[in-house]
Amino acid sequence: MTPYVLTVDAGIRDLRAADHLLHELVAELALPNDVFGCTHLVRGDRPRVAVSLALPPSPLLRTARERLTARGHEVSDGAPDAIGRAVIYPGVESLTGTLTIMELLARSAIDRVAVLGAPGQPDPNARIVTRSHVRPQWQDSALVLTAMPAAHGTLVPFEVPDPTPCCADH
């Protein structure tokens, strides 16, 4: 069944707040486990982060739209772009601790892992330390996790859970 995508523009300016909004919306709307929730960078005269929810066509869709609009959110049909950063997706809750790439792919909706600076696909037995923060992105209709080499031959997701703000030491 093809999901239907709703975009919510709450005027958010940072990814952490957008992640929080997605988790809040999924809980408030009691959405099923097969939902995808993504963030999208909106450029232009008013840069911000919009979020999208991919829902199965059902009465839930109309309820979600009504409740989001009632909260004062700007709601539109479709995704703002094809390069969403997935925060909510099937299996995300099981991606904790250290897993092999094979386990990560088997437990979640992630289609593949790409390692920065490395050609081809990584060894399926390579270990990835998730830091309980796994944010793949849509690339050519596939959900791809970008990883980078870390200590002791492991990999880590490229996006860190608690980034240091720019100019934090000035």
Side-chain angles (χ1 to χ4, degrees):
M1 183 178 312
T2 303
Y4 188 82
V5 179
L6 289 177
T7 292
V8 179
D9 189 343
I12 294 173
R13 298 190 55 93
D14 68 84
L15 288 174
R16 183 176 286 193
D19 288 5
H20 180 74
L21 176 61
L22 277 169
H23 285 287
E24 186 179 290
L25 294 175
V26 167
E28 179 183 317
L29 299 170
L31 297 178
N33 291 339
D34 59 348
V35 167
F36 285 84
C38 297
T39 61
H40 304 266
L41 301 178
V42 179
R43 293 165 176 41
D45 60 339
R46 194 173 58 97
R48 61 202 181 283
V49 182
V51 300
S52 66
L53 292 167
L55 308 166
S58 68
L60 176 64
L61 179 63
R62 184 175 49 180
T63 302
R65 179 187 295 281
E66 289 169 357
R67 290 175 77 181
L68 293 167
T69 303
R71 282 185 69 176
H73 295 308
E74 183 180 315
V75 180
S76 58
D77 295 329
D81 58 41
I83 312 172
R85 171 184 160 272
V87 176
I88 308 283
Y89 52 93
V92 65
E93 69 283 342
S94 69
L95 303 181
T96 61
T98 301
L99 307 168
T100 65
I101 290 176
M102 188 172 10
E103 290 170 325
L104 181 134
L105 297 176
R107 291 181 184 186
S108 72
I110 297 173
D111 296 305
R112 65 184 169 86
V113 175
V115 179
L116 286 176
Q121 296 297 306
D123 179 347
N125 293 311
R127 294 175 311 135
I128 186 162
V129 180
T130 68
R131 302 178 292 202
S132 298
H133 188 84
V134 182
R135 302 290 190 263
Q137 287 192 319
W138 289 103
Q139 296 176 13
D140 298 323
S141 299
L143 198 53
V144 180
L145 176 65
T146 301
M148 59 186 177
H152 310 292
T154 62
L155 298 169
V156 292
F158 177 72
E159 185 178 324
V160 296
D162 297 311
T164 301
C166 177
C167 306
D169 61 345
H170 312 269

